[in-house]
Amino acid sequence: MNLSAFLAISSGIMQLGAHIPILMGIFKGRTKPSSTATGIWTFVSFALLASSYSTGVRTNLPFLIAGCLSTTTVFLLSLKYGYRRWSIIDPLCIILGAVSLIAWALTRQASYAVYLLTLLDWIAILPVIYKSWYDPKTENKLGWSINLIATILLVLSIRDWRLVTVVVAFTQIAHSIIINTLIRLPTHHNKPIGTI
């Protein structure tokens, strides 16, 4: 096993590990995941896994497999324990998800699906950014810290520097940096959580 493969597998293991404190926080009532974001991320994780595999990208696969397992679990729990508010972003995400799969089917270019799904991933993070700013206590600091380590390992595992490879890894690390920063800021607005 080469270093890249080791780092890729380690990123997947860390991604799964990041969800242990999140799951514990959900059951203790401290962590309240966004149903919107986790539902979209579940869809994006499975679609990115399929499209990344189709493009021949292997570096992201352990991280994406872990993402499929963990986001599905968190999404199902969020239906009972999380935020379930819909906003204007939700229909846009559904439309973009459908467009990405149609583009893949029509063009037979999985890379197009990866790019559209990455855009969708950026849209899906918006409810979490909003929630992390206004209600940071509902996010799990330990889980997001472990996620940051997982995304760093994911970026370090890259050997194939094609756009279709790096766009997924750098999106994941950017998301993790943003949320980790927001939930650790000393002051936040006191606006109540609602729709965006």
Short mmCIF file of all heavy atoms in Angstrom, two decimals, residues 140-165:
data_model
loop_
_atom_site.label_atom_id
_atom_site.label_comp_id
_atom_site.label_asym_id
_atom_site.label_seq_id
_atom_site.Cartn_x
_atom_site.Cartn_y
_atom_site.Cartn_z
N ASN A 140 -21.52 20.01 16.75
CA ASN A 140 -20.63 19.25 17.61
C ASN A 140 -19.18 19.61 17.30
O ASN A 140 -18.66 19.27 16.24
CB ASN A 140 -20.88 17.76 17.38
CG ASN A 140 -20.17 16.90 18.37
OD1 ASN A 140 -18.96 16.76 18.32
ND2 ASN A 140 -20.93 16.32 19.30
N LYS A 141 -18.52 20.29 18.25
CA LYS A 141 -17.15 20.77 18.03
C LYS A 141 -16.17 19.62 17.82
O LYS A 141 -15.31 19.68 16.94
CB LYS A 141 -16.69 21.63 19.20
CG LYS A 141 -17.30 23.01 19.23
CD LYS A 141 -16.71 23.84 20.35
CE LYS A 141 -17.36 25.21 20.39
NZ LYS A 141 -16.85 26.03 21.48
N LEU A 142 -16.28 18.58 18.63
CA LEU A 142 -15.35 17.46 18.49
C LEU A 142 -15.53 16.78 17.14
O LEU A 142 -14.56 16.47 16.45
CB LEU A 142 -15.54 16.45 19.64
CG LEU A 142 -14.65 15.20 19.57
CD1 LEU A 142 -13.18 15.58 19.55
CD2 LEU A 142 -14.97 14.28 20.74
N GLY A 143 -16.78 16.57 16.75
CA GLY A 143 -17.06 15.94 15.45
C GLY A 143 -16.50 16.74 14.29
O GLY A 143 -15.87 16.19 13.38
N TRP A 144 -16.68 18.06 14.34
CA TRP A 144 -16.16 18.91 13.26
C TRP A 144 -14.64 18.98 13.30
O TRP A 144 -13.99 19.10 12.26
CB TRP A 144 -16.79 20.30 13.33
CG TRP A 144 -18.12 20.34 12.66
CD1 TRP A 144 -19.35 20.42 13.26
CD2 TRP A 144 -18.38 20.29 11.24
NE1 TRP A 144 -20.34 20.41 12.30
CE2 TRP A 144 -19.77 20.34 11.07
CE3 TRP A 144 -17.56 20.20 10.12
CZ2 TRP A 144 -20.37 20.31 9.81
CZ3 TRP A 144 -18.16 20.17 8.86
CH2 TRP A 144 -19.54 20.22 8.71
N SER A 145 -14.03 18.89 14.49
CA SER A 145 -12.56 18.88 14.58
C SER A 145 -12.00 17.62 13.94
O SER A 145 -11.02 17.68 13.18
CB SER A 145 -12.11 18.95 16.05
OG SER A 145 -12.52 20.16 16.64
N ILE A 146 -12.62 16.49 14.22
CA ILE A 146 -12.17 15.23 13.61
C ILE A 146 -12.40 15.27 12.11
O ILE A 146 -11.58 14.80 11.32
CB ILE A 146 -12.88 14.02 14.27
CG1 ILE A 146 -12.50 13.93 15.74
CG2 ILE A 146 -12.52 12.72 13.54
CD1 ILE A 146 -13.33 12.93 16.54
N ASN A 147 -13.53 15.87 11.69
CA ASN A 147 -13.80 16.02 10.27
C ASN A 147 -12.71 16.84 9.59
O ASN A 147 -12.30 16.54 8.46
CB ASN A 147 -15.16 16.67 10.06
CG ASN A 147 -15.45 16.94 8.60
OD1 ASN A 147 -15.18 18.03 8.09
ND2 ASN A 147 -15.98 15.95 7.91
N LEU A 148 -12.21 17.87 10.25
CA LEU A 148 -11.14 18.68 9.67
C LEU A 148 -9.88 17.84 9.45
O LEU A 148 -9.24 17.93 8.40
CB LEU A 148 -10.83 19.88 10.57
CG LEU A 148 -9.74 20.83 10.07
CD1 LEU A 148 -10.09 21.40 8.69
CD2 LEU A 148 -9.52 21.96 11.07
N ILE A 149 -9.56 16.99 10.41
CA ILE A 149 -8.40 16.10 10.24
C ILE A 149 -8.63 15.17 9.05
O ILE A 149 -7.74 14.94 8.23
CB ILE A 149 -8.14 15.29 11.53
CG1 ILE A 149 -7.74 16.23 12.67
CG2 ILE A 149 -7.06 14.22 11.30
CD1 ILE A 149 -7.75 15.60 14.04
N ALA A 150 -9.86 14.64 8.95
CA ALA A 150 -10.19 13.74 7.83
C ALA A 150 -10.03 14.45 6.49
O ALA A 150 -9.50 13.88 5.53
CB ALA A 150 -11.62 13.21 7.98
N THR A 151 -10.46 15.70 6.42
CA THR A 151 -10.36 16.42 5.14
C THR A 151 -8.92 16.80 4.82
O THR A 151 -8.53 16.82 3.65
CB THR A 151 -11.26 17.68 5.13
OG1 THR A 151 -10.88 18.56 6.18
CG2 THR A 151 -12.72 17.31 5.25
N ILE A 152 -8.12 17.07 5.84
CA ILE A 152 -6.69 17.32 5.60
C ILE A 152 -6.03 16.07 5.03
O ILE A 152 -5.27 16.14 4.07
CB ILE A 152 -6.00 17.78 6.90
CG1 ILE A 152 -6.47 19.19 7.29
CG2 ILE A 152 -4.47 17.75 6.74
CD1 ILE A 152 -6.06 19.63 8.69
N LEU A 153 -6.33 14.91 5.62
CA LEU A 153 -5.80 13.65 5.10
C LEU A 153 -6.27 13.40 3.67
O LEU A 153 -5.50 12.91 2.84
CB LEU A 153 -6.22 12.48 6.01
CG LEU A 153 -5.60 12.46 7.40
CD1 LEU A 153 -6.24 11.36 8.25
CD2 LEU A 153 -4.09 12.26 7.32
N LEU A 154 -7.52 13.76 3.40
CA LEU A 154 -8.06 13.60 2.04
C LEU A 154 -7.25 14.43 1.04
O LEU A 154 -6.85 13.94 -0.01
CB LEU A 154 -9.53 14.00 2.00
CG LEU A 154 -10.23 13.95 0.65
CD1 LEU A 154 -10.25 12.54 0.10
CD2 LEU A 154 -11.64 14.51 0.76
N VAL A 155 -6.99 15.68 1.37
CA VAL A 155 -6.21 16.55 0.47
C VAL A 155 -4.78 16.01 0.33
O VAL A 155 -4.23 15.98 -0.78
CB VAL A 155 -6.21 18.01 0.99
CG1 VAL A 155 -5.21 18.86 0.22
CG2 VAL A 155 -7.61 18.60 0.87
N LEU A 156 -4.17 15.57 1.44
CA LEU A 156 -2.81 15.04 1.37
C LEU A 156 -2.71 13.75 0.56
O LEU A 156 -1.64 13.42 0.06
CB LEU A 156 -2.27 14.81 2.79
CG LEU A 156 -2.02 16.06 3.63
CD1 LEU A 156 -1.61 15.67 5.05
CD2 LEU A 156 -0.96 16.94 2.98
N SER A 157 -3.82 13.03 0.43
CA SER A 157 -3.81 11.75 -0.30
C SER A 157 -3.85 11.94 -1.82
O SER A 157 -3.65 10.98 -2.56
CB SER A 157 -4.99 10.88 0.14
OG SER A 157 -6.21 11.39 -0.37
N ILE A 158 -4.10 13.15 -2.29
CA ILE A 158 -4.26 13.38 -3.73
C ILE A 158 -2.94 13.14 -4.46
O ILE A 158 -1.91 13.70 -4.11
CB ILE A 158 -4.76 14.81 -4.02
CG1 ILE A 158 -6.14 15.03 -3.41
CG2 ILE A 158 -4.78 15.09 -5.52
CD1 ILE A 158 -6.62 16.46 -3.49
N ARG A 159 -3.00 12.29 -5.47
CA ARG A 159 -1.86 12.09 -6.38
C ARG A 159 -2.23 12.54 -7.78
O ARG A 159 -1.38 12.97 -8.55
CB ARG A 159 -1.46 10.61 -6.42
CG ARG A 159 -0.70 10.16 -5.22
CD ARG A 159 -0.09 8.81 -5.38
NE ARG A 159 -0.75 7.96 -6.37
CZ ARG A 159 -0.40 6.73 -6.65
NH1 ARG A 159 0.61 6.19 -6.04
NH2 ARG A 159 -1.04 6.03 -7.54
N ASP A 160 -3.50 12.44 -8.11
CA ASP A 160 -4.00 12.81 -9.44
C ASP A 160 -4.60 14.21 -9.31
O ASP A 160 -5.67 14.37 -8.74
CB ASP A 160 -5.06 11.78 -9.87
CG ASP A 160 -5.74 12.15 -11.17
OD1 ASP A 160 -5.31 13.13 -11.81
OD2 ASP A 160 -6.69 11.46 -11.54
N TRP A 161 -3.92 15.21 -9.84
CA TRP A 161 -4.33 16.59 -9.63
C TRP A 161 -5.26 17.12 -10.72
O TRP A 161 -5.28 18.30 -11.01
CB TRP A 161 -3.10 17.49 -9.46
CG TRP A 161 -2.48 17.25 -8.12
CD1 TRP A 161 -1.51 16.35 -7.84
CD2 TRP A 161 -2.82 17.88 -6.89
NE1 TRP A 161 -1.21 16.36 -6.50
CE2 TRP A 161 -2.00 17.31 -5.89
CE3 TRP A 161 -3.73 18.86 -6.54
CZ2 TRP A 161 -2.08 17.69 -4.56
CZ3 TRP A 161 -3.79 19.25 -5.21
CH2 TRP A 161 -2.97 18.66 -4.24
N ARG A 162 -6.08 16.23 -11.29
CA ARG A 162 -7.11 16.69 -12.23
C ARG A 162 -8.19 17.43 -11.44
O ARG A 162 -8.43 17.14 -10.28
CB ARG A 162 -7.75 15.50 -12.97
CG ARG A 162 -6.83 14.79 -13.92
CD ARG A 162 -7.56 13.63 -14.61
NE ARG A 162 -7.96 12.63 -13.62
CZ ARG A 162 -9.00 11.80 -13.77
NH1 ARG A 162 -9.75 11.86 -14.85
NH2 ARG A 162 -9.28 10.92 -12.85
N LEU A 163 -8.85 18.35 -12.10
CA LEU A 163 -9.90 19.14 -11.45
C LEU A 163 -10.97 18.23 -10.85
O LEU A 163 -11.46 18.49 -9.74
CB LEU A 163 -10.52 20.12 -12.45
CG LEU A 163 -11.62 21.03 -11.89
CD1 LEU A 163 -11.09 21.89 -10.75
CD2 LEU A 163 -12.22 21.89 -12.99
N VAL A 164 -11.34 17.17 -11.55
CA VAL A 164 -12.40 16.28 -11.08
C VAL A 164 -12.01 15.62 -9.75
O VAL A 164 -12.88 15.25 -8.96
CB VAL A 164 -12.76 15.23 -12.16
CG1 VAL A 164 -11.68 14.17 -12.30
CG2 VAL A 164 -14.11 14.61 -11.90
N THR A 165 -10.72 15.52 -9.47
CA THR A 165 -10.26 14.94 -8.21
C THR A 165 -10.21 15.99 -7.10
O THR A 165 -10.74 15.80 -6.02
CB THR A 165 -8.84 14.34 -8.38
OG1 THR A 165 -8.87 13.40 -9.43
CG2 THR A 165 -8.38 13.66 -7.11
#
